[in-house]
């Protein structure tokens, strides 16, 4: 069984930066694909970025590519979303998802989210 908890959200001015953390509980974090999603008020949840199992390939939504980075620290069971050059349209609740591969039981977990608010 796996679980994740996000943290690091807050209020920031446009152009600023925030780093979100996703702490994983369970086995085999290094084998998990970790994804970030976000949901703005009145909108559907959308994909932001993911990093695959170690050594890790990264992929970003077009809306954040070049501004956001995703990386992981396996000894700390933590993945991060570094958000730079933030825009008001980045305002949303950000959710972490961790998914283990089928050969490890395909466990999956969603966090409760962390609020990011970007003021103009």
């Amino acid at each position: 069984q796996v679980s994740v908890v996000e943290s690091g959200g807050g209020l920031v001015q446009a152009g600023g930066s925030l780093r979100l953390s996703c702490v994983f509980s369970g086995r085999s974090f290094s084998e998990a694909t970790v994804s970030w999603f976000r949901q703005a008020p009145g909108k559907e949840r959308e994909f932001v970025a993911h990093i695959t199992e170690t050594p890790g390939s990264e992929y970003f939504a077009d809306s954040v590519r070049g501004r956001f980075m995703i990386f992981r620290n396996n000894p700390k069971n933590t993945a991060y979303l570094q958000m730079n050059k933030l825009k008001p349209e980045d305002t949303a609740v950000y959710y972490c998802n961790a998914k283990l591969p089928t050969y490890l039981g395909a466990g999956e977990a969603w966090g409760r989210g962390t609020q990011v608010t970007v003021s103009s």
Side-chain angles (χ1 to χ4, degrees):
Q1 194 166 9
V2 299
S3 64
V4 294
V5 176
E6 310 96 335
S7 64
L11 174 64
V12 64
Q13 289 188 333
S17 298
L18 281 175
R19 179 178 292 184
L20 306 184
S21 299
C22 174
V23 179
F24 174 96
S25 295
R27 292 186 172 183
S28 306
F29 175 68
S30 62
E31 305 296 322
T33 291
V34 179
S35 305
W36 287 93
F37 292 77
R38 67 186 181 186
Q39 188 166 18
K43 295 187 177 181
E44 294 187 353
R45 190 173 297 189
E46 65 175 3
F47 169 81
V48 176
H50 79 216
I51 183 166
T52 61
E53 69 274 15
T54 303
S57 296
E58 304 155 15
Y59 186 79
F60 298 91
D62 290 343
S63 58
V64 306
R65 188 174 293 117
R67 300 187 297 121
F68 289 12
M69 296 182 289
I70 186 170
F71 54 100
R72 63 195 305 157
N73 184 328
N74 288 338
K76 292 188 175 182
N77 274 14
T78 302
Y80 303 92
L81 183 70
Q82 177 67 42
M83 306 185 295
N84 301 320
K85 299 179 182 179
L86 283 161
K87 305 175 181 181
E89 51 264 43
D90 294 318
T91 295
V93 178
Y94 283 71
Y95 297 91
C96 177
N97 172 275
K99 187 180 298 184
L100 290 171
T102 302
Y103 65 86
L104 288 175
E108 183 176 9
W110 285 92
R112 292 186 175 185
T114 185
Q115 176 71 47
V116 171
T117 302
V118 184
S119 63
S120 58

